[in-house]
Amino acid sequence: MAPVSSPLQPPVFSLSPPPPPFAKCKLPSKVHTVHRISPIPHETRTGRDGSYTHHRQRSVVLRSALDEIYVLDPPPSSPYEEGKTESIASLKLKLLSVVSGLNRGLAASEDDQQKADAAAKDLEAAGGLVDLSKDIDKLQGRWKLIYSSAFSSRTLGGSRPGPPTGRLLPITLGQVFQRIDVLSKDFDNIVELELGVPWPLQPVEVTATLAHKFELVGSAKIKITFEKTTVKTTGNLSQLPPLEVPQIPDALRPPSNTGSGEFEVTYLDADTRVTRGDRSELRVFVLS
């Protein structure tokens, strides 16, 4: 009779010595030294198994037998773009320095005007053409006038007829602002004035707001249409209500005063704006 094995017989295990604490692994592929030969700039070729090849630097890499895909690294800033940004910043600082001591143009001599105009042209050329159809939001805000070439005429109307400053009329020009709302199309010229009065009374401080509506004409030109003028006393008389100045009837309005005007924005960034008016008036503003 053949021997019968018992089902309760324990299994036999083959014991082998434990592996050494450190095992050596063989690399699955060859090791190469790779040079950059691809014309694609800053290219990294990554295999599906996670291996990669960076062609700019000489490096030791693992080459996979699998297909490879291309991944482009973000390109660094162009030296040309960095140089252009530095040039614009330098030219803007130069323009602001030229006009800083001219009392918004009231104290500008003919030589000062030429220097300011030349500095503005350099900045305009470096900044390139302005496209307000794309950068209309940059107009938003309250802009402070720091220079106007027309103020050298010593009138508050600039190159247009206006009340003279100085001894003929005791008017002192304060700060001048432009308040622009790109949504409502409001365009307000705000002028702070000090009116002299006979002694011993104190000078009267007022703020005149010339309200306009604006529209774009082309890519960089703005047309403004006058609506009304409001005068509000400040200082000791600030409790007085604002006064709306009656508008001149069209029949009595001089032909040169049509109630509208145009100017071109020749330079614009986040905090500086340069414009040239329809009468060759150069104005420089900073965001306040």
Side-chain angles (χ1 to χ4, degrees):
M1 177 179 295
V4 178
S5 61
S6 172
L8 299 178
Q9 183 178 357
V12 178
F13 295 96
S14 176
L15 299 178
S16 59
F22 299 98
K24 295 183 179 180
C25 298
K26 184 179 180 180
L27 294 176
S29 58
K30 296 180 179 180
V31 178
H32 301 270
T33 299
V34 180
H35 298 273
R36 175 180 174 86
I37 58 175
S38 172
I40 302 177
H42 306 283
E43 177 185 301
T44 301
R45 301 201 313 174
T46 305
R48 294 176 183 173
D49 62 347
S51 62
Y52 66 91
T53 303
H54 192 11
H55 289 283
R56 174 167 289 278
Q57 298 177 350
R58 178 185 175 98
S59 59
V60 177
V61 296
L62 296 178
R63 293 297 305 271
S64 170
L66 300 176
D67 295 337
E68 295 176 334
I69 58 176
Y70 289 88
V71 178
L72 297 180
D73 295 336
S77 300
S78 167
Y80 171 77
E81 293 295 334
E82 293 179 354
K84 181 178 179 181
T85 301
E86 293 177 359
S87 175
I88 290 177
S90 176
L91 293 173
K92 184 168 72 170
L93 179 60
K94 177 182 177 181
L95 173 61
L96 298 180
S97 299
V98 168
V99 303
S100 62
L102 302 180
N103 190 17
R104 287 145 296 169
L106 291 170
S109 64
E110 185 175 351
D111 183 61
D112 292 329
Q113 294 182 64
Q114 292 176 357
K115 290 181 179 178
D117 187 72
K121 287 181 178 178
D122 290 342
L123 179 61
E124 292 163 348
L129 296 178
V130 176
D131 188 354
L132 294 178
S133 62
K134 298 179 181 179
D135 296 331
I136 187 67
D137 290 343
K138 290 184 179 180
L139 289 177
Q140 179 73 30
R142 181 182 173 97
W143 296 84
K144 180 180 179 180
L145 177 70
I146 61 172
Y147 176 77
S148 169
S149 62
F151 279 171
S152 62
S153 64
R154 306 299 191 271
T155 75
L156 299 182
S159 56
R160 294 174 172 81
T165 60
R167 297 181 178 179
L168 295 180
L169 288 178
I171 299 176
T172 302
L173 177 66
Q175 300 296 336
V176 179
F177 300 91
Q178 282 185 348
R179 183 173 55 205
I180 304 175
D181 190 324
V182 298
L183 296 180
S184 64
K185 304 299 182 183
D186 288 334
F187 191 104
D188 298 337
N189 287 320
I190 303 171
V191 183
E192 297 177 355
L193 299 171
E194 184 180 277
L195 309 179
V197 294
W199 185 85
L201 300 177
Q202 294 294 324
V204 178
E205 299 176 354
V206 300
T207 298
T209 302
L210 288 74
H212 300 76
K213 290 291 185 180
F214 82 91
E215 60 179 312
L216 295 183
V217 181
S219 61
K221 185 172 290 187
I222 293 178
K223 179 181 180 180
I224 58 174
T225 302
F226 175 77
E227 290 192 329
K228 63 180 179 179
T229 298
T230 303
V231 177
K232 177 71 173 68
T233 55
T234 59
N236 296 331
L237 301 178
S238 59
Q239 70 275 12
L240 297 179
L243 172 65
E244 185 171 325
V245 179
Q247 191 171 351
I248 301 176
D250 293 339
L252 302 178
R253 191 187 304 273
S256 60
N257 188 1
T258 61
S260 64
E262 294 182 355
F263 62 88
E264 184 176 1
V265 180
T266 55
Y267 178 81
L268 178 64
D269 63 18
D271 55 25
T272 305
R273 177 164 56 96
V274 179
T275 68
R276 292 189 180 270
D278 52 2
R279 299 193 182 188
S280 302
E281 178 183 358
L282 171 65
R283 290 185 179 184
V284 181
F285 296 86
V286 294
L287 196 64
S288 65

